[in-house]
Amino acid sequence: MSYSYDILLCDLDAFFASVEQRDNPKLKGKPIIIGGDPDYRGVVSTCSYEARQYGIRAALPTKKALQLCPKALLLPARMPRYKKVSLQVMDILERFTPDIERVSIDEAYLAVKRGTGLETARRIRFAVKKELNLPLSIGVSVNKLLSKIACSLAKPDNIKALWPHAVEKSLWPLSIGVLPGVGPVTEKKLNKFGIKTVADLAFFPGDALKNIVGNYAADLKEYSWGYDNRKLELKHKQKSISEEITFPRDIYDQEIIMDILFDLAAELGYRLRSKGLRARTIALKLKFPDLTIKTKTTSFPEAIDDDEKIYDTATTLFNHCCSKPPWRLIGISTSGLQKWEQLALFSAESQKKDKIKPVLDLLRQKYGKNAIFKGRRLLLLLKKDALMISSKQNK
Ligand SMILES: [Mg+2]
């Protein structure tokens, strides 16, 4: 069988617990549980590796978990925080390939060029460590089944490949519970017929297997030999990235509009760069108190990701709109998105800027949006506060 892609499964280790331990270093090295209230039949959603040593697992009642490890620290889940960090991780993954299936908040399959899987896995893990300081395990193979199993063998915080030639040595000795669709009930049922390991399954007569698990027998047989035809369910490629602001009161002052455009452009530039994208088209959107909308669009021969260029373009579009105050909403959107690796070489000037941008972006990633900005944003932050302006982004 020939394969066109290497398939990676990236899975963050004890994700919620790892975020808590990263955000609060005092929790490092301690058994912590993210879960519901033990008095209200809460269950464990995630626990740190330190807590796992006490036999605590996801879905265990919190009450039971605290009996197993009375000194464990129980924390409530902070879903908005985890979602945000998850997006940051997915943004990093998108730099390496557009072919991604996001399985859950902390797990995604990636398809990359055949033969580049292990190297890509190393680069991804390096980036997630350096930029987000989170533990990540990656399984590398040629299909979903094997990369998922490789990932479970890699855990915690490591990379493992499981290639088809190693099925006999590495997959067959494992318990059948590692196969997709084999939950505790099916496992028990198969155990009764002496099928305990994947090897047992591989050599069990097909007809007899069908009598036990019905139509699922054919899939199980395939899996036991390391075959898996399931395709990645790719999300649609992101077509545009936009930022807009609706004002709580209509705005009459053009200077404020310019300041806001400056802020929106910085936000867009950052989001493009963090995804490894550049845009060929910029559009400006204006909404008026009577709810009519005006948009103006322009395109460049060369794609951009630079805050200043986005800002200059947006202000030019604004001036061409001949629009009169008051304004109710203003937004910028970027489309015609391209991966920057695919682009031609840049001019000398943009190369010079490119040395500073990654540093600024990294600082921002680490310390947040308001940690570092060009002088002009300070004024805007004060004005925004006074105007109680809130913004919205597409995602
Ligand atoms: Mg995980």
Side-chain angles (χ1 to χ4, degrees), residues 11-15 106-107 155:
D11 186 358
L12 292 144
D13 301 322
F15 180 46
D106 69 337
E107 208 177 319
K155 279 186 170 298

Side-chain angles (χ1 to χ4, degrees), residues 9-19 22 46-47 49 52 82-90 92-93 102 104-108 124-125 127-129 132-139 151 155-158:
L9 178 66
C10 299
D11 186 358
L12 292 144
D13 301 322
F15 180 46
F16 300 171
S18 298
V19 173
R22 182 200 67 174
T46 317
C47 63
Y49 274 86
R52 287 180 197 200
Y82 309 144
K83 275 185 191 158
K84 190 172 169 204
V85 178
S86 170
L87 284 180
Q88 291 171 338
V89 175
M90 299 297 158
I92 291 179
L93 299 185
R102 195 176 162 180
S104 66
I105 191 164
D106 69 337
E107 208 177 319
I124 289 173
R125 212 166 141 264
V128 170
K129 264 240 138 76
L132 301 176
N133 190 21
L134 286 172
L136 170 73
S137 294
I138 306 180
C151 186
K155 279 186 170 298
D157 203 13
N158 216 335

Side-chain angles (χ1 to χ4, degrees), residues 63 90 129 141 179 187 317 319 333 377 382-383 385:
K63 205 169 187 169
M90 299 297 158
K129 264 240 138 76
S141 190
L179 300 179
E187 189 170 0
L317 289 172
N319 293 330
S333 90
R377 279 207 58 226
L382 297 171
K383 284 184 201 167
D385 236 20

Side-chain angles (χ1 to χ4, degrees), residues 74-298:
L74 175 65
L75 300 169
R78 291 188 298 154
M79 283 321 287
R81 176 79 185 137
Y82 309 144
K83 275 185 191 158
K84 190 172 169 204
V85 178
S86 170
L87 284 180
Q88 291 171 338
V89 175
M90 299 297 158
D91 280 353
I92 291 179
L93 299 185
E94 279 175 23
R95 278 182 223 162
F96 294 89
T97 173
D99 301 330
I100 298 181
E101 175 187 337
R102 195 176 162 180
V103 187
S104 66
I105 191 164
D106 69 337
E107 208 177 319
Y109 284 106
L110 275 69
V112 299
K113 206 174 130 209
R114 182 86 180 104
T116 63
L118 264 176
E119 180 53 26
T120 311
R122 281 188 204 109
R123 285 168 58 206
I124 289 173
R125 212 166 141 264
F126 180 77
V128 170
K129 264 240 138 76
K130 191 169 171 212
E131 295 174 33
L132 301 176
N133 190 21
L134 286 172
L136 170 73
S137 294
I138 306 180
V140 185
S141 190
V142 294
N143 60 36
K144 282 182 161 183
L145 170 82
L146 293 178
S147 64
K148 169 100 181 167
I149 292 169
C151 186
S152 63
L153 296 174
K155 279 186 170 298
D157 203 13
N158 216 335
I159 296 172
K160 176 139 182 84
L162 174 52
W163 303 111
H165 67 75
V167 161
E168 193 180 329
K169 193 171 131 251
S170 304
L171 177 62
W172 281 1
L174 301 178
S175 136
I176 46 171
V178 300
L179 300 179
V182 182
V185 176
T186 311
E187 189 170 0
K188 238 185 188 164
K189 220 157 134 191
L190 290 166
N191 282 171
K192 272 194 207 145
F193 291 85
I195 307 171
K196 294 199 164 113
T197 64
V198 179
D200 295 336
L201 190 65
F203 293 102
F204 200 81
D207 289 343
L209 189 62
K210 204 170 169 189
N211 287 333
I212 308 170
V213 293
N215 287 337
Y216 200 52
D219 283 346
L220 272 185
K221 265 279 172 202
E222 294 264 293
Y223 292 154
S224 70
W225 287 84
Y227 300 128
D228 181 6
N229 287 324
R230 288 173 302 160
K231 296 256 176 298
L232 262 63
E233 287 167 31
L234 304 179
K235 66 169 194 181
H236 292 297
K237 234 172 145 184
Q238 193 162 18
K239 290 199 179 96
S240 70
I241 297 181
S242 63
E243 293 278 338
E244 62 181 43
I245 285 182
T246 303
F247 309 121
R249 306 192 275 277
D250 297 338
I251 299 278
Y252 288 79
D253 184 347
Q254 187 164 329
E255 205 182 310
I256 291 180
I257 292 285
M258 290 298 136
D259 287 346
I260 287 169
L261 282 180
F262 187 81
D263 197 39
L264 293 177
E267 193 62 31
L268 276 175
Y270 173 74
R271 287 181 64 200
L272 285 170
R273 293 190 296 278
S274 69
K275 287 171 184 281
L277 294 172
R278 290 186 178 179
R280 281 202 54 215
T281 301
I282 306 282
L284 179 86
K285 177 177 165 191
L286 288 169
K287 200 191 246 178
F288 301 90
D290 64 356
L291 301 184
T292 54
I293 291 173
K294 221 179 205 182
T295 54
K296 230 166 168 71
T297 304
T298 187

